[in-house]
Amino acid sequence: MASVDHVKQYLAHWLLLGKSVHLHNGQVIKPQSIVQGDRYSPEFEQCWQQILAAEGRDCYLEGTDTTIQALLSPAWDLILCARCDMPIPLKLRGTPPNACPCHDIPSWPNSELPKPRLPKDTQEHLRGLRDRLQQIGSLPPSCPLRSQPSPIPPNSPGLPYAMAVHLLKPRGSQTPPISPPPSDEALHCPVKQAKPS
């Protein structure tokens, strides 16, 4: 089941790509602004309040036939589309929707463009980075991160810390090491010369 916040994010993603919302009274809303810094725009919030006031009845995203009311019910969930990596509705039982909402956007998916971005609290993000850097600064001298020489030149301030943060990621998320290329001797193959006729 999708939460109210997830449904709101679903709408915001697609509105950022130029879609509109059809309301229960036949009104079509296409907010010009969706995100303002670390929050949704007042225009988008007003649209969202209109949808909630109608409890999502007969309100749906352009190009889809699944109502917001249905998305807020336990029978539906939201997943990422395998084609465009955007949120799409998924019916938990029964027949799923025919197509992703991107089916009528000729220029999407487009890997050349950044994906729509939702509001993000940059201060909270920076506090998290600061806390992680402080943890690295308090590592004991025996820690492998302290004992390994940095591959980054000393004239790159800040990069050793970024590298250390990267190395602190859980082991499961790291890619397996790449084996070194074979030596020149292993690549040397004697070439048979043709016998003179």
Side-chain angles (χ1 to χ4, degrees), residues 56-154:
R57 284 189 303 272
D58 298 323
C59 302
Y60 57 92
L61 181 69
E62 173 193 0
T64 69
D65 54 6
T66 308
T67 66
I68 304 302
Q69 181 183 29
L71 293 179
L72 292 169
S73 75
W76 288 82
D77 202 355
L78 292 168
I79 62 168
L80 294 180
C81 173
R83 179 173 173 253
C84 68
D85 204 30
M86 292 277 285
I88 59 170
L90 172 70
K91 194 169 188 179
L92 298 179
R93 288 198 173 98
T95 309
N98 291 334
C100 173
C102 76
H103 76 278
D104 58 356
I105 304 176
S107 61
W108 196 260
N110 185 345
S111 59
E112 304 284 319
L113 297 174
K115 282 178 41 180
R117 155 189 104 66
L118 296 180
K120 187 170 189 175
D121 184 350
T122 53
Q123 292 302 314
E124 183 180 334
H125 180 69
L126 290 173
R127 279 192 294 275
L129 285 175
R130 180 200 61 206
D131 294 345
R132 287 182 8 218
L133 289 173
Q134 286 175 344
Q135 287 176 351
I136 292 170
S138 63
L139 292 174
S142 61
C143 177
L145 290 177
R146 292 239 180 206
S147 59
Q148 292 176 354
S150 173
I152 300 168

Side-chain angles (χ1 to χ4, degrees), residues 171-191:
R171 292 283 181 214
S173 67
Q174 292 181 348
T175 55
I178 299 171
S179 57
S183 66
D184 289 342
E185 291 175 7
L187 291 176
H188 179 68
C189 297
V191 178

